[in-house]
Amino acid sequence: ENNEYIVTWAFGHLFSLCDIEDYIEKKDTKWTMESIPCFPEKFKFKLKGEDKLVSVSDSNDPYIFISTNNGYGLSYNADEVPVTGLKASGVKSISLKNDVVVSGHLYNDDYEYLTVITRKNTAKRVRLSEFEKSTRARRGVQIIKEVKTNPYYVLNTFIIDYKKQIGLKTGTELNEIKLTEIPISDRHKTGSSISKLDILETYEVKELVTQSE
């Protein structure tokens, strides 16, 4: 429970060993039979196939919340995730069925809301108290109303201070919205429209500070 650990969320098995070609600095250099066997001083690793890193945090908050594209969310204690080395692939965070993780958060009891942004340009804030703590590697519960004929897929979720703002990227435009402008709703609603244009990406708006500050 200190700042010695970094928690990550990933989609897939994450890491594999690099091929011998990845150790050659010049792309036009070819390896020969004389180069075999190859014993690098330091082994390199790369993401496997279509695996990707979803989120990274160095927070020591006690709870984890995982959100998925199909609108599932799972909350559990952070101490369920074991401490591992840099080269370890980690443990399963949530059970997926034709789904992918879109975000992961570490949070504490000071945070009140989960903010949900959908790919249909809707948003809502849901009280975290609606989500009972579960255990790691389960499927979780719906964080957005399930509409089978025209589903609301989740673009991103946030657990941040209510005074913060969220940035919205829509094509070539960047806009900001205050969290307090997003309606509070329950987890069974689809949310309210926040943009007439398609939202491509979302992010927490940060303030720039000078080195002296």
Side-chain angles (χ1 to χ4, degrees):
E1 297 181 358
N2 51 43
N3 292 326
E4 295 180 0
Y5 309 123
I6 295 177
V7 179
T8 65
W9 291 267
F11 170 66
H13 297 287
L14 201 60
F15 290 117
S16 67
L17 285 171
C18 286
D19 297 322
I20 189 170
E21 290 84 358
D22 297 318
Y23 292 93
I24 299 175
E25 295 182 1
K26 296 182 180 180
K27 293 184 178 180
D28 57 349
T29 302
K30 296 182 180 180
W31 59 274
T32 63
M33 295 299 293
E34 288 73 20
S35 304
I36 300 176
C38 177
F39 295 106
E41 293 183 6
K42 291 184 179 180
F43 282 95
K44 296 180 180 180
F45 295 84
K46 61 183 178 182
L47 292 174
K48 286 184 177 180
E50 297 181 354
D51 292 352
K52 63 181 180 179
L53 191 64
V54 176
S55 180
V56 177
S57 174
D58 62 354
S59 168
N60 59 358
D61 286 337
Y63 312 126
I64 288 175
F65 197 101
I66 305 294
S67 304
T68 76
N69 176 72
N70 289 350
Y72 282 86
L74 181 66
S75 177
Y76 52 90
N77 292 327
D79 58 14
E80 288 196 40
V81 179
V83 178
T84 63
L86 289 174
K87 301 173 184 178
S89 59
V91 295
K92 179 185 287 189
S93 61
I94 186 172
S95 179
L96 300 172
K97 184 178 180 181
N98 298 321
D99 202 356
V100 295
V101 173
V102 295
S103 60
H105 312 283
L106 280 163
Y107 70 101
N108 58 53
D109 291 322
D110 292 333
Y111 294 97
E112 190 174 1
Y113 298 105
L114 171 76
T115 301
V116 182
I117 313 291
T118 77
R119 297 185 184 275
K120 287 188 177 294
N121 311 319
T122 65
K124 65 177 181 177
R125 287 184 292 160
V126 183
R127 288 183 173 84
L128 286 165
S129 58
E130 287 198 35
F131 304 97
E132 292 186 8
K133 297 293 184 303
S134 183
T135 56
R136 180 181 61 78
R138 293 192 175 185
R139 192 179 187 188
V141 297
Q142 289 286 154
I143 62 175
I144 199 81
K145 181 180 179 180
E146 184 177 10
V147 183
K148 293 184 178 180
T149 56
N150 196 11
Y152 282 70
Y153 295 116
V154 174
L155 176 63
N156 205 352
T157 62
F158 298 87
I159 299 179
I160 54 180
D161 188 272
Y162 73 95
K163 297 179 181 179
K164 299 289 187 179
Q165 293 183 327
I166 292 175
L168 310 174
K169 180 181 179 183
T170 56
T172 58
E173 295 183 9
L174 294 177
N175 300 298
E176 297 177 359
I177 183 172
K178 296 179 181 179
L179 280 188
T180 51
E181 296 176 345
I182 298 176
I184 298 172
S185 183
D186 61 51
R187 64 185 185 88
H188 300 290
K189 300 291 177 57
T190 57
S192 302
S193 176
I194 58 172
S195 175
K196 294 181 179 180
L197 302 175
D198 288 341
I199 302 173
L200 304 179
E201 295 180 28
T202 60
Y203 54 91
E204 179 184 350
V205 177
K206 299 285 189 178
E207 294 183 3
L208 296 177
V209 297
T210 63
Q211 188 173 1
S212 60
E213 293 178 306

